[in-house]
């Protein structure tokens, strides 16, 4: 069985949001599935010494321009959030709780809904009440999710998963690992596709028989009829 693509993301990451709209489709194209891993960049930054791009002198204003430009270029819905940066701990824990109790598909749908809420609807996803509202349309017992995401078990699980991610070299969002090969950033998705393409098994092509029609390079079909026998125009 082909290994899953590991997708690491923080809900406060605009580039992580952009990646979230493409990663599943790209994986499916090459017969892969995606394992979604919520992380907290605040924890990672304590090791790397980094900070959210909009808060970095000189880089900050450029980053806001690039978020909008990237969204336009790829045709992705985006609205600059007024609640930014913001804590995403409860949302990350909620994803883990859903993975544990409702499975990956429901958890992924919720994660995409949270991203859309922040970067399209400008909803403050740091508020537990807003997460409850996002869970209900998915048929989730939102209050059970809220309680579970606040429990010590999920808190410890998120902490442990971030430690595992960092041990694998994860230091940003989005961060993708495929067959041990790491890719950081939404601007690496062309390279990700090239990597997936190189790993795809070669397709077997039937060899046409002597009497079969053959296909030309432009997609038209060649005929076995002898053109010299065709009636020429007067």
């Amino acid at each position: 069985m082909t290994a899953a693509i590991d997708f690491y993301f923080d809900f406060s990451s605009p580039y992580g949001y952009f990646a979230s709209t493409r990663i599943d489709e790209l994986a499916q194209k090459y017969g892969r599935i995606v394992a979604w891993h919520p992380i907290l960049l605040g924890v990672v930054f304590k090791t790397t010494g980094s900070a959210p791009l909009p808060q970095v002198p000189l880089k900050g204003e450029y980053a806001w321009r690039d978020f909008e430009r990237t969204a336009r270029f790829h045709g992705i819905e985006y609205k600059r959030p007024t609640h930014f940066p913001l804590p995403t701990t409860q949302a990350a824990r909620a994803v883990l709780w859903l993975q544990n109790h409702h499975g990956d598909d429901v958890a992924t749908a919720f994660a995409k809904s949270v991203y859309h809420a922040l970067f399209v609807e400008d909803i403050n996803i740091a508020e537990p009440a807003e997460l409850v509202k996002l869970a209900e349309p998915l048929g989730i017992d939102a209050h059970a999710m809220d309680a579970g995401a606040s429990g010590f078990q999920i808190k410890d699980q998120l902490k442990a998963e971030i430690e595992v991610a960092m041990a694998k070299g994860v230091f940003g969002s989005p961060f993708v690992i495929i067959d041990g090969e790491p890719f950081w950033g939404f601007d690496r998705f062309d390279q990700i596709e090239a990597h997936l393409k190189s790993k795809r098994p070669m397709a077997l092509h039937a060899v046409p028989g002597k009497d079969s029609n053959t296909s030309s390079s432009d997609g038209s079909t060649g005929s076995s009829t002898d053109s010299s026998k065709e009636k020429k125009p007067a």
Side-chain angles (χ1 to χ4, degrees):
M1 182 177 178
T2 307
I5 295 172
D6 289 306
F7 173 57
Y8 298 87
F9 64 96
D10 185 312
F11 283 116
S12 68
S13 166
Y15 295 123
Y17 160 60
F18 300 148
S20 77
T21 69
R22 296 290 189 267
I23 188 67
D24 283 329
E25 180 183 358
L26 181 58
Q28 186 177 20
K29 182 178 177 181
Y30 294 95
R32 301 284 189 116
I33 60 172
V34 181
W36 287 55
H37 303 281
I39 61 172
L40 300 176
L41 287 177
V43 176
V44 177
F45 288 164
K46 290 178 181 179
T47 297
T48 63
S50 302
L53 273 175
Q55 294 183 336
V56 178
L58 296 181
K59 288 184 179 180
E61 196 54 43
Y62 172 85
W64 284 117
R65 286 176 176 269
D66 194 60
F67 299 154
E68 295 178 358
R69 179 173 56 225
T70 300
R72 287 196 306 270
F73 182 81
H74 291 280
I76 299 172
E77 283 188 284
Y78 170 80
K79 178 181 179 181
R80 179 171 174 167
T82 55
H83 310 284
F84 193 91
L86 78 175
T88 60
T89 305
Q90 190 70 3
R93 290 172 180 167
V95 171
L96 291 183
W97 186 87
L98 289 171
Q99 288 174 343
N100 293 346
H101 295 275
H102 291 270
D104 291 337
D105 290 346
V106 172
T108 298
F110 175 76
K112 290 180 178 180
S113 179
V114 173
Y115 258 138
H116 190 273
L118 176 59
F119 289 110
V120 178
E121 302 173 68
D122 194 21
I123 292 173
N124 185 356
I125 63 166
E127 295 292 337
E130 297 295 349
L131 297 178
V132 166
K133 292 177 185 177
L134 294 173
E136 288 173 343
L138 298 173
I140 298 167
D141 184 339
H143 295 289
M145 180 193 76
D146 183 49
S150 301
F152 288 109
Q153 179 182 352
I154 291 297
K155 290 180 180 180
D156 290 343
Q157 183 181 347
L158 179 59
K159 180 180 178 181
E161 296 217 4
I162 294 172
E163 290 175 353
V164 170
M166 292 175 65
K168 292 181 178 180
V170 175
F171 58 83
S173 171
F175 204 100
V176 175
I177 299 179
I178 309 172
D179 307 322
E181 188 71 19
F183 300 88
W184 173 46
F186 183 51
D187 58 351
R188 292 296 181 267
F189 266 47
D190 285 344
Q191 293 183 26
I192 289 173
E193 179 159 20
H195 178 83
L196 289 169
K197 190 178 295 184
S198 72
K199 296 291 184 178
R200 183 172 56 183
M202 294 293 291
L204 296 178
H205 299 282
V207 178
K210 291 182 179 180
D211 297 328
S212 300
N213 290 342
T214 57
S215 176
S216 65
S217 60
D218 64 357
S220 61
T221 302
S223 173
S224 60
T225 304
D226 185 350
S227 61
S228 64
K229 296 180 181 179
E230 294 179 357
K231 184 177 180 180
K232 297 181 180 180

